[in-house]
Amino acid sequence: MSVQELTPVRRRLPLVALFAANGISVCGTMMTFLAIPWFVLETTGSSAQTGLVAAVELIAVVASSALGGPLIARFGMRGASVLSDLLAALAVLAIPVLHLTVGLALWQLVLLVAVLGLSRAPGETARASAVPDLAELGGTPLERAASAADGASRAAKMVGPLLAGVLIAVTGAAEVLFVDAATFGVSALLIGLFVPGDRTGDTPRTRGARAYLADLRTGIGYLRRDRLIGAITLMLMVTNMMDAAVYSVLLPRYAKDVLDSSVALGVITGVFGGAALLGTLLYGWLGPRLPRWPIYTLAFLAVGAPKQLLLLTEPGLPALVAGMALIGLLCGAINPILSVVEYERIPEEQRPVVFGVTAAGCAAGMPVGTVLAGVSVDGLGLTTTMWLAGGLYLGATLCPLVFRVWRQMDRIK
């Protein structure tokens, strides 16, 4: 049956399945982000070791991001996504199994989170690069498809922390990871059953080391030529470094020392994700009629340093929840804008490779952020570390106001 003969519902089914799979996978990732740091804090009491474990996973994410494009070229979008989720499920499942049976040493946990990190980026990159083609198949405008993709991710970032926070309090951090492993399995099943292979097919192809290096050079070369995409990558490298420090080290320590509750940690993170989801949906509705650069600039200025200042005032849980809701609402427009700019500027045949390289660049600072945050909290204290993180975040988010290249966000290349 040709594409023209498909009913509208069947033409949109692959895109809906992609959104659902990505949302479920992200939900599992968010549960891991909360459960593993809490597990390390409970068993060791050390922020430095918490930062180390998080850094190992993020270093693996950077490495797999750089190789994500070539792996997609080898296995196809569907194959790369399914393999990525299955590997993540096995790595996560091994953590509670070992902990509850023979015991889990720190080096074993480090090894497993490294495998988990290696599994993450290829699947995420594959699903992101498939959005334009599946949107075209379903007759969905690109701005709305990008917003829906980010909306599914935001919804997962709301549900995942809330679910993890409650389950940690009820069952313990290790047991949460059983549920986490199941989410990756469901994601793999949805992609395998309902998303068609890409134009290059899903049969693994033989590619030597030279082909992988050539793909990487192509992605890096694109960043050098496209100053806007290069600037976006550099800015997100810094902001993601700060976000990794906050969510992997500072917020868990804040929840443990100030709020004394894993549930409060889940509520704060979940409310932020829910408000960001609402912001994403609003942008999906209004975005095609709005300028991108001003909204992007204002949103990033609002969600960076103000988040640190809010936490530093220690206003209590109700005020924290209200403040995080407002910040999250503004944050919701950022990712859809970035996605549409990338889809418009990056040629279709180069998207997997360029997306992989940009993802690696954006994640490169994250392991540094977690390690430095852990050492800084143990050495300088939580308050000083949060002031430093807020100052660096503010400096990075001023870049779109200072450099004119960012005005190109409102023009198609």
Side-chain angles (χ1 to χ4, degrees), residues 28-54:
T29 298
M30 292 303 298
M31 294 174 68
T32 302
F33 277 159
L34 267 67
I36 291 180
W38 198 273
F39 174 77
V40 178
L41 280 174
E42 278 189 335
T43 55
T44 69
S46 170
S47 293
Q49 289 192 28
T50 303
L52 172 64
V53 171

Side-chain angles (χ1 to χ4, degrees), residues 3 9 20 35 100 112 118 126 129 157 216 234 236 289 303 323 349 358 366 400 406 408:
V3 171
V9 172
L100 297 172
L112 289 170
L118 288 171
S129 64
K157 291 177 181 178
L216 292 178
L234 289 174
L236 293 183
R289 301 185 292 275
V303 303
E349 66 278 4
T358 56
M366 295 171 72
W406 293 89
Q408 295 179 24

Side-chain angles (χ1 to χ4, degrees), residues 9-26:
V9 172
R10 292 187 63 183
R11 292 177 65 180
R12 294 191 183 99
L13 178 61
L15 187 63
V16 173
L18 182 78
F19 294 158
N22 196 56
I24 292 170
S25 182
V26 171

Side-chain angles (χ1 to χ4, degrees), residues 246 250-251 254 258-259 268 304-316 320 324 327 380-391:
V246 169
L250 302 184
L251 260 183
Y254 185 93
V258 178
L259 302 175
I268 291 171
K307 187 191 304 179
Q308 311 298 323
L309 292 174
L310 176 64
L311 293 169
L312 283 164
T313 60
E314 298 186 12
L320 278 175
M324 285 293 188
I327 294 171
L380 302 176
L382 180 62
T383 299
T384 300
T385 303
M386 293 179 73
W387 276 111
L388 292 172

